[in-house]
Amino acid sequence: MSISIFDYIEKIVPKENILFHEPMSRHTTFRVGGEAKCLIRISGKEQLKKLVPYLHATGQKYFILGNGSNLLVGDKGYSGIVVKLDDGNGSVTVEGEKVKVSAGTLLSRAAAEAKEHSLTGMEFASGIPGTVGGAIVMNAGAYGGEMKQIVESVEVMNREGEILVLDNDTMEFGYRTSVMKNRPFIILETVLALKRGKKEEIESRMEELARQRREKQPLEYASAGSTFKRPEGYYAGKLIMDAGLRGFRIGGARVSEKHCGFIINDGSATAADIREVIEEVQQCVKKKFGVMLEREVIYLGDF
């Protein structure tokens, strides 16, 4: 990164929020990954509005990061700038049955705020370890709920800094996808449309879903959650189990014995280990059942 770019960034972001040679293992739920050339912590959309158009105009490679819950960064790191939306200053505003949430806010926090205001509809999201922005991009869902059901509108910015507001239909939500997958937009905030409910019932539902997660998912290990999308007509975890891959490992990465849809880091895995397990699982399932599992996990950087 040139001195001129650094000087400009320093005018927008406090110096202490500009980190050079930052280990990405600190910023992903897999807890692996080499260094980013530079990581910038962004505390609000005004900083984002100034920074991203500049990076785009100067041709600087960059990646927008939320909680890193769906990301595998290579062991050799990322040679560009990581722009991290910092939940420390995430914003949640409740007006009636509408909840306005900034993109960097954790889903769990937004769900907790909705509960405190006796608003139902976000219970499914209370245990998903990602940000609201990331959840919208991939139409995150669990236990019968998905973002499509509660998003009213999304404020986005293109790479030139133009601000647009997209309604639910324009977002083109599908299974683990949205219009964001194919358009160079950055989510700034969203308005969620919830419904009035009873706080004790909302809390009870959240506790029940948390119990189910503890029982069925390997939460004691670092992972990116469900590694693969659900193939039409199948369940990824069952295909992997039926292929005889329960517990399959390479180095410190393995297919979870508790839930075969999860690939976990036992604490000693490298990013290369995890990628090799992912690709071996894909090939084995393809060979045995003729089904090519599609990753939910995004690869970033050099392996």
Side-chain angles (χ1 to χ4, degrees):
M1 187 167 65
S2 70
I3 297 297
S4 60
I5 292 178
F6 176 72
D7 288 343
Y8 179 83
I9 292 172
E10 219 177 23
K11 293 176 183 177
I12 301 170
V13 182
K15 192 171 183 178
E16 62 270 22
N17 289 340
I18 304 170
L19 309 175
F20 292 97
H21 306 294
E22 178 68 6
M24 289 303 294
S25 57
R26 298 175 181 172
H27 302 280
T28 69
T29 58
F30 263 133
R31 299 292 179 255
V32 298
E35 295 180 347
K37 182 178 181 181
C38 178
L39 183 143
I40 303 171
R41 295 182 182 272
I42 294 294
S43 59
K45 69 178 183 179
E46 294 308 315
Q47 290 180 349
L48 204 60
K49 288 177 183 178
K50 295 175 182 176
L51 179 61
V52 168
Y54 177 79
L55 295 178
H56 176 63
T58 57
Q60 176 63 52
K61 182 168 67 172
Y62 64 92
F63 180 82
I64 305 296
L65 176 68
N67 195 46
S69 60
N70 211 35
L71 183 68
L72 180 64
V73 181
D75 299 307
K76 297 178 182 177
Y78 177 63
S79 60
I81 295 175
V82 173
V83 180
K84 181 175 173 61
L85 306 181
D86 194 342
D87 181 61
N89 290 293
S91 170
V92 183
T93 305
V94 179
E95 296 181 2
E97 296 181 0
K98 304 294 176 67
V99 182
K100 182 182 290 187
V101 190
S102 63
T105 304
L106 289 174
L107 276 173
S108 56
R109 180 185 169 197
E113 288 287 339
K115 179 195 72 177
E116 289 304 314
H117 288 81
S118 301
L119 295 176
T120 184
M122 279 204 79
E123 292 88 334
F124 76 90
S126 59
I128 298 176
T131 59
V132 169
I136 290 172
V137 170
M138 66 174 293
N139 188 26
Y143 298 103
E146 57 183 354
M147 296 303 292
K148 175 182 179 178
Q149 299 166 353
I150 59 174
V151 169
E152 179 175 277
S153 63
V154 183
E155 183 182 79
V156 302
M157 179 180 69
N158 65 20
R159 292 179 296 194
E160 289 73 33
E162 182 184 4
I163 307 298
L164 305 169
V165 177
L166 310 181
D167 63 19
N168 187 291
D169 288 340
T170 307
M171 285 298 297
E172 298 178 10
F173 287 118
Y175 175 67
R176 300 298 176 266
T177 191
S178 72
V179 71
M180 303 295 295
K181 289 275 191 172
N182 302 309
R183 299 292 295 274
F185 292 148
I186 297 167
I187 296 175
L188 300 177
E189 65 183 27
T190 185
V191 175
L192 306 176
L194 304 180
K195 295 180 180 179
R196 190 65 57 189
K198 295 182 179 180
K199 183 177 178 181
E200 59 273 18
E201 293 179 1
I202 296 168
E203 189 167 35
S204 176
R205 177 60 176 163
M206 286 182 172
E207 290 173 353
E208 170 60 19
L209 294 182
R211 182 189 64 77
Q212 290 185 41
R213 284 188 173 93
R214 289 192 299 271
E215 289 178 354
K216 298 178 181 179
Q217 299 178 9
L219 302 181
E220 64 273 27
Y221 292 101
S223 78
S226 296
T227 308
F228 304 101
K229 295 181 180 181
R230 186 179 68 241
E232 188 173 354
Y234 300 91
Y235 290 98
K238 188 173 189 312
L239 287 172
I240 296 167
M241 180 178 66
D242 291 347
L245 294 169
R246 183 192 293 274
F248 171 77
R249 74 157 57 231
I250 295 175
R254 73 174 189 266
V255 175
S256 168
E257 294 89 342
K258 194 172 188 179
H259 189 315
C260 290
F262 284 62
I263 292 173
I264 60 174
N265 173 7
D266 72 3
S268 64
T270 64
D273 291 340
I274 295 169
R275 180 168 177 166
E276 285 184 52
V277 171
I278 289 173
E279 293 175 357
E280 184 66 21
V281 165
Q282 288 177 309
Q283 292 307 312
C284 286
V285 169
K286 173 71 172 175
K287 183 176 180 180
K288 190 170 181 67
F289 301 109
V291 177
M292 187 61 184
L293 295 176
E294 184 180 352
R295 283 184 285 111
E296 285 192 20
V297 174
I298 298 166
Y299 292 161
L300 180 69
D302 299 319
F303 287 79

